Amino acid sequence: MSYLRKFNAGTQRCLGILGLFILLFGACKKDEIESVKAPLTITDYYPNSGAQGTLVTVEGTGFSNNTDEISATFSGVSADIVSATPTAVVMRAPASAASGAIAMKIKGESIGVGNYTYQELSVQTISPANGAAGTHIRITGAGFSSTTGPAEVYVNGKIAVVVSAADNLLVAEVPEGAGTGPVTVKVNGKEASGQTFKFQVISGIKPASGGKGTHVKISGGGFDEVIAGNYVDFNGKPALVTEVTADYLMVVAPADVQTGPVSVTINNQKATGPVFTVVPMPVIQSVTPLSGPSGTEMTILGLNFSIHPDENKVTINGKYAAVVTATPFKLTLNIPGGTGDGKIVLNVNDQVVQGPDFKDQNLGIAKMSPDNGLAGTEVTITGTGFGTTPAANVVTFNGVTAQVVSATATSLVVIAPPALTSGPVKVANAGQTAISPVSFNRAGVMTLAGGPNQGGLDIRERGASIAVDSHGNVFVMELNNNVIKKITPQGVVSVFAGSPSRETGNQNGTGTAARFNFSFNSGMVIDQQDILYVADGMNNSIRKISPAGVVNTYAVNLNAPGKLAIDDNGILYVQTQYSLTRVDKTGVRSVVPGFYGANEQARPIVIGDYFYYTDNDNLYIGRFNLATGINQRTWAGNGEFGNSDGPISRSMLGTPRGFIYDGKGNLYFSDGLKPTTRKVDMILNELTTISTQPARGFKDAGLNEAQFSSRDDMAMDKEGNIYIVDQGNNAIRKMFLK
């Protein structure tokens, strides 16, 4: 065999193999193409009745563009195919057929369509073909008139109200909860159905709150199968649609989202759903513990959490930890273990905030009790992984070593060190270090002046008002003695104004040359220039005292003036049992209309446009709007005597008095009959007790260990320290909050 013949033979073999490969590949491609071909299905046809020549539309899948590949029969009689696409075929009802079944054959494959009735009644078109409850649909056709009764219209079998009617046109209103289904008309015992009406409804949204970028699932029906066919807006702001199914849409809240309803518009038909509420970003205030083993319960405190646990997603160093319980202010979860060391991250409905670092170890601090106090305070630290002997644990308060009194694996008892300052508490054991979830605050109560069997003050028999100036000097009204005393920050007491001999009068002058005649409810306030204003009750006047002690009469002819308040503009508000009087900066007075119901022995306060006071029955805090005259006598308190905390409208009060404001949204007051010191968070409208006591007495200690005989009027200095009249102990007490 020659080389050429060998070459030709080899070439022929290669070409044969190549041809076989192409044939097999082509067969595979053919199979692949055939495998993705849409199945032959019928989804809808209309109308289902009419006269000969009526055009009937059949919708579905797997049809052909070529009319030559499609045939149809009405009760066995061939029909003309007018037009065809892969999803819709239009045919003409033949003249010689009878009522019966419609059948189609496409590329040799047969399928039943449904029944067709030859009659005058026919539903040909509906417009619009989609919409929400209340949508008016126009139904065109024939045979709608009747001499025996009006035409009836049904949407998916549910009767609709016919708004207007003619022989070839009906207008009907889509009923509530109709659902998706055919539009049917009934006249004179005959029935005809048209195309399917797609009922649009939003049954719910989840989550129902969040902010920009929140992914929201809109549940319902009647959605367009193409993403672009669904227009979603949040209170009028367009949103991005990312996924669509027959019963839900996934959308992303827009950047400029505002609180309002969520709506879906399809083919210019709008369905409105629930309100999406825009909430601020979540805030993490504390995490407990910041280290610990698997299974330990973690608590996250803060703001703007979701009440639905699954809408709060927590990761520790990137590892998911399921939230077990959730409130707007508190989340609990179990530490999953094996996280490694890293950030705690909280995602509330796609609003992400970072928390502190977490250490994956056995040693951890869960809480401290108390978490405030003075040097020498005994503190119990609970957690995990502690050494079981005191010497095995090194405990520091803001870097200063503390004495460990006793130790177990889960509890340490320590003494706050002498050089105590506010800051974190750390426990070191076996090469590991744990940090406290919150700082230990140097906070508590100390006596500024007076005390049982101590001289200098005389406030035991009648309640006193106090004020503090910008230098930290405290001024106290001794009502029995008709004098005002001054207490320096070092606790030195002196007479500031009035006669120390209990002499009464109405004289102006400097220091002890002045004379007052106080009543049982006389009050006192101080302005931003350190000028004191004093209600001289028995003299029916307001007196003004300069920082140098010069006394002048400011306003006269008031009816038994009592406790005072002053606003940021220097306007005085004078409280009596039945009225409230405004005194302007020139001393001119006027009655504030609409105010009533105050306890004239409890000092009020003005914050912005609001006047806060103790209601006469003492179980409420009232709030009066100075701009509108609206009086909320039960702004805080539920009308029952007690000391429960929580939302202000459900909390129990005793006798609120001595209101002070820190300028940061917190209103403080003494609850005299307990006695306790309490705080209203005016942003959250939450009431908490910041200082209670084990028993009545006289003891300087931490916020919940110090003892008072009573708690009455209060004042606050520029550092945030609170001064409290302890009338039963004849003392002025100073409370440190930090």
Short mmCIF file of all heavy atoms in Angstrom, two decimals, residues 57 122 161 260 295 369 389 420 693 734:
data_model
loop_
_atom_site.label_atom_id
_atom_site.label_comp_id
_atom_site.label_asym_id
_atom_site.label_seq_id
_atom_site.Cartn_x
_atom_site.Cartn_y
_atom_site.Cartn_z
N THR A 57 -59.83 32.99 22.58
CA THR A 57 -58.40 33.00 22.88
C THR A 57 -58.07 31.90 23.87
O THR A 57 -58.73 31.77 24.91
CB THR A 57 -57.97 34.36 23.46
OG1 THR A 57 -58.27 35.39 22.51
CG2 THR A 57 -56.49 34.38 23.78
N SER A 122 -72.39 36.14 26.07
CA SER A 122 -70.95 35.92 25.87
C SER A 122 -70.16 37.01 26.57
O SER A 122 -70.51 38.19 26.52
CB SER A 122 -70.62 35.93 24.37
OG SER A 122 -69.23 35.81 24.17
N VAL A 161 -70.74 43.74 42.88
CA VAL A 161 -71.77 44.76 42.69
C VAL A 161 -71.68 45.29 41.27
O VAL A 161 -70.60 45.72 40.82
CB VAL A 161 -71.60 45.90 43.70
CG1 VAL A 161 -72.61 47.02 43.42
CG2 VAL A 161 -71.77 45.38 45.13
N GLY A 260 -45.03 54.73 56.23
CA GLY A 260 -46.24 54.79 55.43
C GLY A 260 -46.55 53.44 54.82
O GLY A 260 -45.82 52.47 54.99
N GLY A 295 -22.91 27.90 75.60
CA GLY A 295 -24.12 27.68 76.37
C GLY A 295 -24.45 28.77 77.36
O GLY A 295 -25.56 28.82 77.88
N SER A 369 -23.06 43.18 91.45
CA SER A 369 -24.14 43.65 92.31
C SER A 369 -23.56 44.14 93.64
O SER A 369 -22.99 43.34 94.39
CB SER A 369 -25.15 42.55 92.56
OG SER A 369 -26.20 43.01 93.36
N THR A 389 -10.23 29.86 95.10
CA THR A 389 -9.61 30.48 96.28
C THR A 389 -9.44 31.97 95.98
O THR A 389 -9.13 32.35 94.84
CB THR A 389 -8.26 29.86 96.61
OG1 THR A 389 -7.36 30.05 95.51
CG2 THR A 389 -8.40 28.37 96.88
N LEU A 420 -10.98 54.48 94.71
CA LEU A 420 -11.96 54.10 93.70
C LEU A 420 -12.26 55.24 92.73
O LEU A 420 -12.49 56.37 93.15
CB LEU A 420 -13.25 53.66 94.39
CG LEU A 420 -14.43 53.31 93.47
CD1 LEU A 420 -14.15 52.04 92.69
CD2 LEU A 420 -15.72 53.18 94.28
N GLN A 693 -33.40 51.83 99.13
CA GLN A 693 -32.66 51.63 100.36
C GLN A 693 -33.20 50.42 101.10
O GLN A 693 -34.38 50.08 100.96
CB GLN A 693 -32.73 52.87 101.24
CG GLN A 693 -34.13 53.27 101.65
CD GLN A 693 -34.14 54.62 102.36
OE1 GLN A 693 -33.54 55.59 101.90
NE2 GLN A 693 -34.84 54.69 103.48
N LYS A 734 -25.91 64.57 99.42
CA LYS A 734 -25.38 64.73 98.06
C LYS A 734 -25.28 63.35 97.41
O LYS A 734 -24.64 62.45 97.94
CB LYS A 734 -24.01 65.40 98.10
CG LYS A 734 -23.39 65.64 96.73
CD LYS A 734 -22.06 66.38 96.85
CE LYS A 734 -21.44 66.65 95.48
NZ LYS A 734 -20.14 67.37 95.59
#
